[in-house]
Amino acid sequence: MLINSGYLDIQKNYSEMKSERLNLRHLRAFKAVCDTGSLSQAARVSHLSQPAITQGLAKLTKSVGSDLFIRSARGVTPTEAAHVLNQRVTRAFDILTRASTRTTARSQNPIAMVTMTQLRALIAVDIHRNFTLAAAHLGISQPSLYRSAKDIEAIWQQPFYVKTQRGIILSDIAERIARAAQLFLAELNQGLDDIAVLNGTSSVALNIACLPLSRGAILPQALNQITAKFPSLQIHVIESPFDDMLRDLRLGRVDFIIGALRDTLAVDDIVQTPLFMDRLGVYCAVDHPLAKASQVKRDDVLAYDWIVARSGTPTRDFFDRFFASKPHHPGKALIETGSSVLVRGLLNESQKLAMISQTQMHDDLVAGRVARLDISLTDAPRTIGVITRKDWAPNRIQKCFIDILHDRKS
């Protein structure tokens, strides 16, 4: 078991995708064999020779680490691994095709011509906004990167790269293709993980983006349960601002987000699934002057320094509204954090107050490490849940983890 926690390194996460080692020509040949059930027919529809199809399948079999077809006198029969992989390959190419049909590509079928090297080059340029940095990231020479980047531009016969003072940015068409390419790689990676699970290795990874509430409230127990079921599982817990998490989710860099759901989102490709309801509380040290007081009023807490959530979060928005009508709005010595561990440490060493989730502080309250003030907040319950892409198809381990979260919601 390997658990990493911290901010998501986009470049590292992208470069470690196992799907990058796959060859698109081999994947097209594989899909053709699955669709036609015949090597000869697959060769005709792919415009390749039968030996080329056979050679491509052999290399793909080695790449995925599992037999894909059983040959007999009657032809070729897909294995269970082939059926699993074909579902992901089909989904992956559909993502690229949908993105391409929304462009004005002058080529008749650009998806049939693009290569993995070209897709990787496009994504790297999008991330780094510089050909030299993109080449260094991919571990290739700058001329090689530039050639691949221009080759994919030539396939679409449209301008892909725009020079600005901030560096190279992608045109609208190129940006759409780059986003689809990242989802394409993520879907293929899911296929490789599906096969690993099928083979019983479970040497796959969960990429979980978690908002502050989930880190101490629901995530530890869920992680303990999933790693007990799958001891070889690698888990990457990503902590970053919500907008960054949402972007990475939509690009397939993380599997899902756990935390407080948003009332509205400006995108329509995301699904929010509730788990349970939560409310806010005001917490202090157990020996705080207000700890034993009953019916604490807003005026009673104005003189104290506060520990608050980051600006732009639902908790911080409520904090600002709660004191908005007071002439002496708490504004001095505000400490912004979403860590319950840090909150507890700060409270115990001072007379500060903290407005934070009741679920997040539940264990500390029960253990007597903090106290909750008897103050009416009149906050609306917040919905805690899981955020996923609308078209996301979880593998067995991901589905198991989601089920664990739902089982714990009560």
Side-chain angles (χ1 to χ4, degrees):
M1 175 185 68
L2 172 64
I3 299 181
N4 291 332
S5 180
Y7 287 93
L8 177 63
D9 185 332
I10 295 174
Q11 289 81 5
K12 181 179 179 182
N13 187 67
Y14 166 68
S15 65
E16 289 181 348
M17 273 196 174
K18 295 175 288 186
S19 54
E20 286 190 9
R21 67 174 182 257
L22 301 179
N23 182 296
L24 266 62
R25 186 175 67 254
H26 299 162
L27 290 175
R28 295 186 189 101
F30 162 78
K31 190 176 184 309
V33 175
C34 288
D35 292 344
T36 64
S38 165
L39 291 175
S40 58
Q41 292 185 44
R44 283 196 293 272
V45 300
S46 301
H47 306 291
L48 297 171
S49 67
Q50 188 166 327
I53 292 284
T54 302
Q55 184 181 41
L57 292 180
K59 292 182 178 179
L60 182 61
T61 297
K62 183 177 181 180
S63 294
V64 303
S66 185
D67 291 333
L68 298 174
F69 296 98
I70 300 173
R71 301 192 66 170
S72 67
R74 295 177 296 176
V76 292
T77 303
T79 63
E80 186 177 0
H83 286 299
V84 168
L85 181 61
N86 189 41
Q87 292 176 353
R88 294 292 183 181
V89 170
T90 299
R91 284 174 53 87
F93 276 111
D94 284 347
I95 290 171
L96 277 182
T97 300
R98 287 196 301 270
S100 181
T101 55
R102 294 175 57 197
T103 70
T104 55
R106 297 192 178 98
S107 299
Q108 186 174 4
N109 187 6
I111 302 304
M113 295 182 285
V114 72
T115 68
M116 182 67 79
T117 300
Q118 293 162 358
L119 292 179
R120 292 182 65 206
L122 179 64
I123 295 171
V125 173
D126 185 30
I127 292 174
H128 295 281
R129 297 187 175 184
N130 180 285
F131 289 119
T132 301
L133 293 177
H137 165 63
L138 294 180
I140 60 178
S141 67
Q142 196 272 355
S144 295
L145 180 283
Y146 185 80
R147 182 168 55 252
S148 296
K150 298 302 286 186
D151 283 346
I152 192 172
E153 182 182 53
I155 289 175
W156 261 266
Q157 299 180 27
Q158 293 284 345
F160 265 31
Y161 311 102
V162 181
K163 290 184 178 180
T164 71
Q165 292 182 342
R166 295 178 299 162
I168 303 295
I169 64 172
L170 300 187
S171 66
D172 290 343
I173 291 176
E175 188 174 11
R176 189 175 299 121
I177 299 302
R179 178 175 182 270
Q182 294 194 60
L183 289 173
F184 174 83
L185 289 175
E187 196 65 44
L188 293 180
N189 216 50
Q190 285 277 81
L192 296 177
D193 283 350
D194 288 337
I195 291 178
V197 173
L198 183 65
N199 291 338
T201 64
S202 72
S203 58
V204 301
L206 279 178
N207 296 304
I208 305 170
C210 69
L211 295 164
L213 169 64
S214 62
R215 294 171 199 164
I218 56 177
L219 194 57
Q221 299 90 337
L223 290 179
N224 283 335
Q225 286 186 250
I226 194 68
T227 52
K229 289 178 176 289
F230 303 99
S232 300
L233 184 62
Q234 297 186 35
I235 298 176
H236 307 282
V237 180
I238 294 95
E239 304 166 10
S240 57
F242 178 77
D243 288 345
D244 293 342
M245 290 184 183
L246 184 62
R247 177 201 62 210
D248 293 331
L249 175 68
R250 298 181 69 217
L251 292 175
R253 296 170 181 161
V254 299
D255 300 324
F256 38 78
I257 302 172
I258 307 173
L261 303 186
R262 268 42 184 178
D263 292 333
T264 58
L265 288 174
V267 293
D268 60 2
D269 56 350
I270 296 299
V271 175
Q272 301 190 96
T273 305
L275 292 174
F276 60 89
M277 306 301 291
D278 179 52
R279 303 198 76 135
L280 296 175
V282 175
Y283 294 85
C284 62
V286 293
D287 59 352
H288 193 282
L290 297 178
K292 303 299 182 182
S294 59
Q295 298 181 342
V296 177
K297 306 298 184 182
R298 276 188 294 182
D299 289 340
D300 299 328
V301 300
L302 288 173
Y304 295 95
D305 297 332
W306 283 80
I307 306 163
V308 297
R310 184 185 296 112
S311 296
T313 62
T315 298
R316 179 60 177 274
D317 291 343
F318 178 81
F319 175 87
D320 292 337
R321 290 196 305 271
F322 185 74
F323 289 105
S325 62
K326 292 297 179 180
H328 303 293
H329 184 292
K332 61 175 183 176
L334 290 181
I335 298 177
E336 293 188 357
T337 181
S339 167
S340 58
V341 175
L342 182 56
V343 169
R344 182 180 69 235
L346 290 169
L347 293 180
N348 288 335
E349 298 295 330
S350 70
Q351 291 190 356
K352 293 181 176 65
L353 301 176
M355 185 178 290
I356 193 171
S357 154
Q358 292 185 21
T359 301
Q360 197 169 355
M361 296 301 291
H362 176 268
D363 291 345
D364 287 319
L365 184 65
V366 172
R369 293 187 287 262
V370 297
R372 189 173 75 214
L373 296 189
D374 181 14
I375 183 172
S376 176
L377 295 181
T378 66
D379 62 308
R382 295 185 304 165
T383 305
I384 309 305
V386 181
I387 306 174
T388 60
R389 297 198 314 274
K390 184 177 293 184
D391 62 350
W392 183 59
N395 60 34
R396 177 190 167 197
I397 292 179
Q398 292 163 338
K399 184 178 184 305
C400 180
F401 188 78
I402 296 294
D403 289 343
I404 288 173
L405 292 176
H406 281 281
D407 289 342
R408 299 192 59 82
K409 66 183 179 181
S410 58

